[in-house]
Amino acid sequence: MATTEPIRDKKELKRFAEYYLKKGQPRNYLLIVMGVHTALRISDLLRLKWDDVYDFKNGRFRSHITLTERKTGKSKAIALNRNVITALERYLPHKRGIFIFAGNRKNAAPISRIQAYRIVKNAAGAVKTAARISCHSLRKTLGYHAWRSGAAVVVIMDIYNHSSYEVTRRYLGISQDDRDKVYLNVALI
């Protein structure tokens, strides 16, 4: 089975994210934006409720999502950046239920993992990305771009709740090209 990859190219990532925005599908756009900016597993992302991100009493978005990860059982606080807030603002008037990623049925249960996979694969196919993309690619993309921007690997490990560098290294998708850039761009003498 092939390993999924992060979306490395920022222009491609922008086209990928905006695919559903251009189609007038704010829920699907939000799924991609939140996926790449929160690094949550798809199971945790789909369980998010509007109360997790929006303070209805005060009429404003929260600064953080606080949740317990399903897989690890660990608590986590995730800051919501401007891109996520903007995507949430686009979708809020269209919300259909308690869950952010509610399906179109009356019971307003969240969409399934399979439907989330279809959403991601359709966008990837439309922008003709060369990477092997799945829902997990959204999670990996944040770490890859954070690492490329100079974030410490130990912080990225903490974001992912990884206990080993090897797992994080695989998530980051460090390739021979990345190693070559170090060798070729460091002039010490």
PDB file of all heavy atoms in Angstrom, residues 41-69:
ATOM      1  N   ARG A  41      -6.592  14.326  12.889  1.00  0.00           N
ATOM      2  CA  ARG A  41      -6.975  13.135  12.145  1.00  0.00           C
ATOM      3  C   ARG A  41      -8.411  13.332  11.660  1.00  0.00           C
ATOM      4  O   ARG A  41      -9.213  14.011  12.306  1.00  0.00           O
ATOM      5  CB  ARG A  41      -6.910  11.901  13.046  1.00  0.00           C
ATOM      6  CG  ARG A  41      -5.508  11.481  13.396  1.00  0.00           C
ATOM      7  CD  ARG A  41      -5.521  10.292  14.364  1.00  0.00           C
ATOM      8  NE  ARG A  41      -4.159  10.008  14.772  1.00  0.00           N
ATOM      9  CZ  ARG A  41      -3.549  10.608  15.803  1.00  0.00           C
ATOM     10  NH1 ARG A  41      -4.186  11.516  16.515  1.00  0.00           N
ATOM     11  NH2 ARG A  41      -2.305  10.302  16.098  1.00  0.00           N
ATOM     12  N   ILE A  42      -8.755  12.710  10.554  1.00  0.00           N
ATOM     13  CA  ILE A  42     -10.081  12.906   9.972  1.00  0.00           C
ATOM     14  C   ILE A  42     -11.168  12.487  10.954  1.00  0.00           C
ATOM     15  O   ILE A  42     -12.224  13.118  11.025  1.00  0.00           O
ATOM     16  CB  ILE A  42     -10.218  12.208   8.594  1.00  0.00           C
ATOM     17  CG1 ILE A  42     -11.406  12.777   7.818  1.00  0.00           C
ATOM     18  CG2 ILE A  42     -10.301  10.699   8.746  1.00  0.00           C
ATOM     19  CD1 ILE A  42     -11.251  14.207   7.378  1.00  0.00           C
ATOM     20  N   SER A  43     -10.932  11.468  11.757  1.00  0.00           N
ATOM     21  CA  SER A  43     -11.944  11.034  12.732  1.00  0.00           C
ATOM     22  C   SER A  43     -12.223  12.135  13.755  1.00  0.00           C
ATOM     23  O   SER A  43     -13.372  12.329  14.168  1.00  0.00           O
ATOM     24  CB  SER A  43     -11.507   9.742  13.433  1.00  0.00           C
ATOM     25  OG  SER A  43     -10.273   9.935  14.094  1.00  0.00           O
ATOM     26  N   ASP A  44     -11.199  12.864  14.171  1.00  0.00           N
ATOM     27  CA  ASP A  44     -11.390  13.969  15.116  1.00  0.00           C
ATOM     28  C   ASP A  44     -11.999  15.184  14.434  1.00  0.00           C
ATOM     29  O   ASP A  44     -12.838  15.881  15.014  1.00  0.00           O
ATOM     30  CB  ASP A  44     -10.066  14.350  15.780  1.00  0.00           C
ATOM     31  CG  ASP A  44      -9.561  13.275  16.729  1.00  0.00           C
ATOM     32  OD1 ASP A  44     -10.396  12.636  17.398  1.00  0.00           O
ATOM     33  OD2 ASP A  44      -8.336  13.067  16.795  1.00  0.00           O
ATOM     34  N   LEU A  45     -11.609  15.445  13.217  1.00  0.00           N
ATOM     35  CA  LEU A  45     -12.132  16.591  12.464  1.00  0.00           C
ATOM     36  C   LEU A  45     -13.643  16.437  12.243  1.00  0.00           C
ATOM     37  O   LEU A  45     -14.408  17.385  12.439  1.00  0.00           O
ATOM     38  CB  LEU A  45     -11.395  16.693  11.128  1.00  0.00           C
ATOM     39  CG  LEU A  45     -11.518  17.972  10.337  1.00  0.00           C
ATOM     40  CD1 LEU A  45     -11.018  19.164  11.127  1.00  0.00           C
ATOM     41  CD2 LEU A  45     -10.727  17.856   9.045  1.00  0.00           C
ATOM     42  N   LEU A  46     -14.075  15.242  11.879  1.00  0.00           N
ATOM     43  CA  LEU A  46     -15.490  15.014  11.587  1.00  0.00           C
ATOM     44  C   LEU A  46     -16.363  15.075  12.845  1.00  0.00           C
ATOM     45  O   LEU A  46     -17.561  15.341  12.746  1.00  0.00           O
ATOM     46  CB  LEU A  46     -15.686  13.680  10.874  1.00  0.00           C
ATOM     47  CG  LEU A  46     -15.046  13.571   9.486  1.00  0.00           C
ATOM     48  CD1 LEU A  46     -15.272  12.184   8.902  1.00  0.00           C
ATOM     49  CD2 LEU A  46     -15.549  14.656   8.554  1.00  0.00           C
ATOM     50  N   ARG A  47     -15.786  14.858  13.997  1.00  0.00           N
ATOM     51  CA  ARG A  47     -16.547  14.911  15.256  1.00  0.00           C
ATOM     52  C   ARG A  47     -16.732  16.329  15.786  1.00  0.00           C
ATOM     53  O   ARG A  47     -17.476  16.548  16.746  1.00  0.00           O
ATOM     54  CB  ARG A  47     -15.845  14.091  16.343  1.00  0.00           C
ATOM     55  CG  ARG A  47     -15.903  12.606  16.131  1.00  0.00           C
ATOM     56  CD  ARG A  47     -15.313  11.814  17.297  1.00  0.00           C
ATOM     57  NE  ARG A  47     -14.038  12.332  17.764  1.00  0.00           N
ATOM     58  CZ  ARG A  47     -13.727  12.542  19.038  1.00  0.00           C
ATOM     59  NH1 ARG A  47     -14.590  12.303  19.985  1.00  0.00           N
ATOM     60  NH2 ARG A  47     -12.538  12.997  19.372  1.00  0.00           N
ATOM     61  N   LEU A  48     -16.054  17.318  15.181  1.00  0.00           N
ATOM     62  CA  LEU A  48     -16.162  18.691  15.678  1.00  0.00           C
ATOM     63  C   LEU A  48     -17.588  19.212  15.534  1.00  0.00           C
ATOM     64  O   LEU A  48     -18.255  18.982  14.538  1.00  0.00           O
ATOM     65  CB  LEU A  48     -15.210  19.617  14.916  1.00  0.00           C
ATOM     66  CG  LEU A  48     -13.725  19.440  15.203  1.00  0.00           C
ATOM     67  CD1 LEU A  48     -12.912  20.358  14.302  1.00  0.00           C
ATOM     68  CD2 LEU A  48     -13.422  19.713  16.671  1.00  0.00           C
ATOM     69  N   LYS A  49     -17.998  19.942  16.562  1.00  0.00           N
ATOM     70  CA  LYS A  49     -19.324  20.558  16.574  1.00  0.00           C
ATOM     71  C   LYS A  49     -19.160  22.070  16.507  1.00  0.00           C
ATOM     72  O   LYS A  49     -18.101  22.615  16.819  1.00  0.00           O
ATOM     73  CB  LYS A  49     -20.065  20.153  17.845  1.00  0.00           C
ATOM     74  CG  LYS A  49     -20.301  18.657  17.908  1.00  0.00           C
ATOM     75  CD  LYS A  49     -21.022  18.256  19.157  1.00  0.00           C
ATOM     76  CE  LYS A  49     -21.272  16.741  19.127  1.00  0.00           C
ATOM     77  NZ  LYS A  49     -21.905  16.281  20.348  1.00  0.00           N
ATOM     78  N   TRP A  50     -20.238  22.737  16.132  1.00  0.00           N
ATOM     79  CA  TRP A  50     -20.189  24.200  16.024  1.00  0.00           C
ATOM     80  C   TRP A  50     -19.821  24.837  17.358  1.00  0.00           C
ATOM     81  O   TRP A  50     -19.102  25.836  17.403  1.00  0.00           O
ATOM     82  CB  TRP A  50     -21.512  24.751  15.480  1.00  0.00           C
ATOM     83  CG  TRP A  50     -21.561  24.617  14.001  1.00  0.00           C
ATOM     84  CD1 TRP A  50     -22.268  23.716  13.276  1.00  0.00           C
ATOM     85  CD2 TRP A  50     -20.821  25.398  13.056  1.00  0.00           C
ATOM     86  NE1 TRP A  50     -22.022  23.880  11.935  1.00  0.00           N
ATOM     87  CE2 TRP A  50     -21.143  24.919  11.773  1.00  0.00           C
ATOM     88  CE3 TRP A  50     -19.923  26.449  13.165  1.00  0.00           C
ATOM     89  CZ2 TRP A  50     -20.599  25.453  10.610  1.00  0.00           C
ATOM     90  CZ3 TRP A  50     -19.384  26.996  12.002  1.00  0.00           C
ATOM     91  CH2 TRP A  50     -19.723  26.495  10.749  1.00  0.00           C
ATOM     92  N   ASP A  51     -20.280  24.262  18.455  1.00  0.00           N
ATOM     93  CA  ASP A  51     -19.934  24.809  19.774  1.00  0.00           C
ATOM     94  C   ASP A  51     -18.436  24.738  20.057  1.00  0.00           C
ATOM     95  O   ASP A  51     -17.928  25.479  20.889  1.00  0.00           O
ATOM     96  CB  ASP A  51     -20.685  24.066  20.885  1.00  0.00           C
ATOM     97  CG  ASP A  51     -22.155  24.457  20.945  1.00  0.00           C
ATOM     98  OD1 ASP A  51     -22.507  25.554  20.463  1.00  0.00           O
ATOM     99  OD2 ASP A  51     -22.957  23.659  21.482  1.00  0.00           O
ATOM    100  N   ASP A  52     -17.731  23.841  19.377  1.00  0.00           N
ATOM    101  CA  ASP A  52     -16.277  23.728  19.558  1.00  0.00           C
ATOM    102  C   ASP A  52     -15.540  24.922  18.958  1.00  0.00           C
ATOM    103  O   ASP A  52     -14.434  25.246  19.397  1.00  0.00           O
ATOM    104  CB  ASP A  52     -15.740  22.447  18.905  1.00  0.00           C
ATOM    105  CG  ASP A  52     -16.257  21.185  19.566  1.00  0.00           C
ATOM    106  OD1 ASP A  52     -16.477  21.199  20.794  1.00  0.00           O
ATOM    107  OD2 ASP A  52     -16.443  20.183  18.846  1.00  0.00           O
ATOM    108  N   VAL A  53     -16.137  25.547  17.957  1.00  0.00           N
ATOM    109  CA  VAL A  53     -15.444  26.632  17.255  1.00  0.00           C
ATOM    110  C   VAL A  53     -16.143  27.983  17.375  1.00  0.00           C
ATOM    111  O   VAL A  53     -15.543  29.015  17.084  1.00  0.00           O
ATOM    112  CB  VAL A  53     -15.249  26.311  15.746  1.00  0.00           C
ATOM    113  CG1 VAL A  53     -14.361  25.092  15.559  1.00  0.00           C
ATOM    114  CG2 VAL A  53     -16.578  26.150  15.033  1.00  0.00           C
ATOM    115  N   TYR A  54     -17.418  27.981  17.797  1.00  0.00           N
ATOM    116  CA  TYR A  54     -18.171  29.229  17.825  1.00  0.00           C
ATOM    117  C   TYR A  54     -18.859  29.400  19.173  1.00  0.00           C
ATOM    118  O   TYR A  54     -19.514  28.494  19.668  1.00  0.00           O
ATOM    119  CB  TYR A  54     -19.228  29.233  16.704  1.00  0.00           C
ATOM    120  CG  TYR A  54     -19.842  30.587  16.460  1.00  0.00           C
ATOM    121  CD1 TYR A  54     -19.154  31.555  15.736  1.00  0.00           C
ATOM    122  CD2 TYR A  54     -21.101  30.900  16.951  1.00  0.00           C
ATOM    123  CE1 TYR A  54     -19.710  32.801  15.499  1.00  0.00           C
ATOM    124  CE2 TYR A  54     -21.665  32.143  16.717  1.00  0.00           C
ATOM    125  CZ  TYR A  54     -20.961  33.094  15.990  1.00  0.00           C
ATOM    126  OH  TYR A  54     -21.507  34.332  15.772  1.00  0.00           O
ATOM    127  N   ASP A  55     -18.688  30.576  19.755  1.00  0.00           N
ATOM    128  CA  ASP A  55     -19.326  30.928  21.016  1.00  0.00           C
ATOM    129  C   ASP A  55     -20.648  31.617  20.666  1.00  0.00           C
ATOM    130  O   ASP A  55     -20.669  32.810  20.364  1.00  0.00           O
ATOM    131  CB  ASP A  55     -18.402  31.861  21.808  1.00  0.00           C
ATOM    132  CG  ASP A  55     -18.986  32.292  23.139  1.00  0.00           C
ATOM    133  OD1 ASP A  55     -20.159  31.982  23.427  1.00  0.00           O
ATOM    134  OD2 ASP A  55     -18.245  32.950  23.896  1.00  0.00           O
ATOM    135  N   PHE A  56     -21.731  30.858  20.688  1.00  0.00           N
ATOM    136  CA  PHE A  56     -23.034  31.396  20.284  1.00  0.00           C
ATOM    137  C   PHE A  56     -23.533  32.464  21.258  1.00  0.00           C
ATOM    138  O   PHE A  56     -24.226  33.394  20.860  1.00  0.00           O
ATOM    139  CB  PHE A  56     -24.065  30.268  20.148  1.00  0.00           C
ATOM    140  CG  PHE A  56     -23.846  29.437  18.915  1.00  0.00           C
ATOM    141  CD1 PHE A  56     -23.109  28.260  18.970  1.00  0.00           C
ATOM    142  CD2 PHE A  56     -24.350  29.834  17.691  1.00  0.00           C
ATOM    143  CE1 PHE A  56     -22.898  27.496  17.833  1.00  0.00           C
ATOM    144  CE2 PHE A  56     -24.146  29.080  16.540  1.00  0.00           C
ATOM    145  CZ  PHE A  56     -23.420  27.915  16.617  1.00  0.00           C
ATOM    146  N   LYS A  57     -23.165  32.349  22.521  1.00  0.00           N
ATOM    147  CA  LYS A  57     -23.600  33.338  23.524  1.00  0.00           C
ATOM    148  C   LYS A  57     -23.036  34.719  23.211  1.00  0.00           C
ATOM    149  O   LYS A  57     -23.731  35.726  23.304  1.00  0.00           O
ATOM    150  CB  LYS A  57     -23.158  32.875  24.910  1.00  0.00           C
ATOM    151  CG  LYS A  57     -23.588  33.794  26.025  1.00  0.00           C
ATOM    152  CD  LYS A  57     -23.143  33.273  27.371  1.00  0.00           C
ATOM    153  CE  LYS A  57     -23.492  34.273  28.454  1.00  0.00           C
ATOM    154  NZ  LYS A  57     -22.954  33.858  29.751  1.00  0.00           N
ATOM    155  N   ASN A  58     -21.756  34.772  22.841  1.00  0.00           N
ATOM    156  CA  ASN A  58     -21.095  36.045  22.561  1.00  0.00           C
ATOM    157  C   ASN A  58     -21.014  36.370  21.068  1.00  0.00           C
ATOM    158  O   ASN A  58     -20.507  37.421  20.695  1.00  0.00           O
ATOM    159  CB  ASN A  58     -19.692  36.061  23.174  1.00  0.00           C
ATOM    160  CG  ASN A  58     -19.748  36.019  24.691  1.00  0.00           C
ATOM    161  OD1 ASN A  58     -20.485  36.774  25.310  1.00  0.00           O
ATOM    162  ND2 ASN A  58     -19.002  35.098  25.284  1.00  0.00           N
ATOM    163  N   GLY A  59     -21.464  35.453  20.223  1.00  0.00           N
ATOM    164  CA  GLY A  59     -21.510  35.698  18.787  1.00  0.00           C
ATOM    165  C   GLY A  59     -20.149  35.869  18.129  1.00  0.00           C
ATOM    166  O   GLY A  59     -19.975  36.719  17.268  1.00  0.00           O
ATOM    167  N   ARG A  60     -19.190  35.007  18.498  1.00  0.00           N
ATOM    168  CA  ARG A  60     -17.868  35.099  17.878  1.00  0.00           C
ATOM    169  C   ARG A  60     -17.187  33.725  17.868  1.00  0.00           C
ATOM    170  O   ARG A  60     -17.542  32.832  18.631  1.00  0.00           O
ATOM    171  CB  ARG A  60     -16.998  36.123  18.589  1.00  0.00           C
ATOM    172  CG  ARG A  60     -16.655  35.741  19.997  1.00  0.00           C
ATOM    173  CD  ARG A  60     -15.693  36.746  20.621  1.00  0.00           C
ATOM    174  NE  ARG A  60     -15.346  36.300  21.944  1.00  0.00           N
ATOM    175  CZ  ARG A  60     -15.526  37.001  23.040  1.00  0.00           C
ATOM    176  NH1 ARG A  60     -16.024  38.204  22.984  1.00  0.00           N
ATOM    177  NH2 ARG A  60     -15.191  36.504  24.198  1.00  0.00           N
ATOM    178  N   PHE A  61     -16.208  33.627  16.988  1.00  0.00           N
ATOM    179  CA  PHE A  61     -15.458  32.378  16.899  1.00  0.00           C
ATOM    180  C   PHE A  61     -14.479  32.273  18.057  1.00  0.00           C
ATOM    181  O   PHE A  61     -13.941  33.276  18.534  1.00  0.00           O
ATOM    182  CB  PHE A  61     -14.715  32.286  15.556  1.00  0.00           C
ATOM    183  CG  PHE A  61     -15.643  32.008  14.419  1.00  0.00           C
ATOM    184  CD1 PHE A  61     -16.115  33.037  13.625  1.00  0.00           C
ATOM    185  CD2 PHE A  61     -16.081  30.718  14.162  1.00  0.00           C
ATOM    186  CE1 PHE A  61     -17.004  32.786  12.588  1.00  0.00           C
ATOM    187  CE2 PHE A  61     -16.965  30.455  13.128  1.00  0.00           C
ATOM    188  CZ  PHE A  61     -17.427  31.489  12.345  1.00  0.00           C
ATOM    189  N   ARG A  62     -14.252  31.082  18.491  1.00  0.00           N
ATOM    190  CA  ARG A  62     -13.301  30.832  19.579  1.00  0.00           C
ATOM    191  C   ARG A  62     -11.881  30.969  19.031  1.00  0.00           C
ATOM    192  O   ARG A  62     -11.648  30.805  17.839  1.00  0.00           O
ATOM    193  CB  ARG A  62     -13.511  29.429  20.149  1.00  0.00           C
ATOM    194  CG  ARG A  62     -14.911  29.230  20.717  1.00  0.00           C
ATOM    195  CD  ARG A  62     -15.066  27.865  21.354  1.00  0.00           C
ATOM    196  NE  ARG A  62     -16.440  27.591  21.697  1.00  0.00           N
ATOM    197  CZ  ARG A  62     -17.099  28.097  22.730  1.00  0.00           C
ATOM    198  NH1 ARG A  62     -16.499  28.936  23.542  1.00  0.00           N
ATOM    199  NH2 ARG A  62     -18.360  27.780  22.952  1.00  0.00           N
ATOM    200  N   SER A  63     -10.949  31.225  19.911  1.00  0.00           N
ATOM    201  CA  SER A  63      -9.554  31.342  19.489  1.00  0.00           C
ATOM    202  C   SER A  63      -8.889  29.970  19.375  1.00  0.00           C
ATOM    203  O   SER A  63      -7.918  29.810  18.652  1.00  0.00           O
ATOM    204  CB  SER A  63      -8.767  32.213  20.463  1.00  0.00           C
ATOM    205  OG  SER A  63      -8.755  31.612  21.754  1.00  0.00           O
ATOM    206  N   HIS A  64      -9.430  28.982  20.091  1.00  0.00           N
ATOM    207  CA  HIS A  64      -8.862  27.630  20.113  1.00  0.00           C
ATOM    208  C   HIS A  64      -9.970  26.584  20.072  1.00  0.00           C
ATOM    209  O   HIS A  64     -11.069  26.819  20.556  1.00  0.00           O
ATOM    210  CB  HIS A  64      -8.056  27.402  21.396  1.00  0.00           C
ATOM    211  CG  HIS A  64      -6.786  28.151  21.462  1.00  0.00           C
ATOM    212  ND1 HIS A  64      -6.730  29.505  21.738  1.00  0.00           N
ATOM    213  CD2 HIS A  64      -5.508  27.753  21.282  1.00  0.00           C
ATOM    214  CE1 HIS A  64      -5.471  29.901  21.740  1.00  0.00           C
ATOM    215  NE2 HIS A  64      -4.707  28.855  21.459  1.00  0.00           N
ATOM    216  N   ILE A  65      -9.619  25.439  19.525  1.00  0.00           N
ATOM    217  CA  ILE A  65     -10.438  24.235  19.652  1.00  0.00           C
ATOM    218  C   ILE A  65      -9.786  23.441  20.777  1.00  0.00           C
ATOM    219  O   ILE A  65      -8.569  23.260  20.785  1.00  0.00           O
ATOM    220  CB  ILE A  65     -10.394  23.359  18.384  1.00  0.00           C
ATOM    221  CG1 ILE A  65     -10.928  24.091  17.174  1.00  0.00           C
ATOM    222  CG2 ILE A  65     -11.143  22.055  18.611  1.00  0.00           C
ATOM    223  CD1 ILE A  65     -10.686  23.336  15.867  1.00  0.00           C
ATOM    224  N   THR A  66     -10.575  22.955  21.694  1.00  0.00           N
ATOM    225  CA  THR A  66     -10.061  22.090  22.747  1.00  0.00           C
ATOM    226  C   THR A  66     -10.784  20.754  22.618  1.00  0.00           C
ATOM    227  O   THR A  66     -12.011  20.708  22.595  1.00  0.00           O
ATOM    228  CB  THR A  66     -10.319  22.700  24.138  1.00  0.00           C
ATOM    229  OG1 THR A  66      -9.748  24.012  24.176  1.00  0.00           O
ATOM    230  CG2 THR A  66      -9.687  21.856  25.228  1.00  0.00           C
ATOM    231  N   LEU A  67     -10.002  19.680  22.497  1.00  0.00           N
ATOM    232  CA  LEU A  67     -10.608  18.366  22.324  1.00  0.00           C
ATOM    233  C   LEU A  67      -9.702  17.284  22.879  1.00  0.00           C
ATOM    234  O   LEU A  67      -8.531  17.526  23.177  1.00  0.00           O
ATOM    235  CB  LEU A  67     -10.896  18.099  20.838  1.00  0.00           C
ATOM    236  CG  LEU A  67      -9.685  17.995  19.913  1.00  0.00           C
ATOM    237  CD1 LEU A  67      -9.548  16.578  19.414  1.00  0.00           C
ATOM    238  CD2 LEU A  67      -9.870  18.925  18.742  1.00  0.00           C
ATOM    239  N   THR A  68     -10.273  16.109  23.009  1.00  0.00           N
ATOM    240  CA  THR A  68      -9.508  14.922  23.377  1.00  0.00           C
ATOM    241  C   THR A  68      -9.412  14.072  22.121  1.00  0.00           C
ATOM    242  O   THR A  68     -10.435  13.706  21.529  1.00  0.00           O
ATOM    243  CB  THR A  68     -10.201  14.137  24.510  1.00  0.00           C
ATOM    244  OG1 THR A  68     -10.338  15.000  25.634  1.00  0.00           O
ATOM    245  CG2 THR A  68      -9.386  12.909  24.900  1.00  0.00           C
ATOM    246  N   GLU A  69      -8.170  13.793  21.715  1.00  0.00           N
ATOM    247  CA  GLU A  69      -7.974  13.001  20.497  1.00  0.00           C
ATOM    248  C   GLU A  69      -8.539  11.597  20.691  1.00  0.00           C
ATOM    249  O   GLU A  69      -8.316  10.972  21.725  1.00  0.00           O
ATOM    250  CB  GLU A  69      -6.491  12.911  20.155  1.00  0.00           C
ATOM    251  CG  GLU A  69      -5.906  14.189  19.640  1.00  0.00           C
ATOM    252  CD  GLU A  69      -4.456  14.028  19.224  1.00  0.00           C
ATOM    253  OE1 GLU A  69      -3.719  13.258  19.859  1.00  0.00           O
ATOM    254  OE2 GLU A  69      -4.082  14.677  18.246  1.00  0.00           O
TER     255      GLU A  69
END
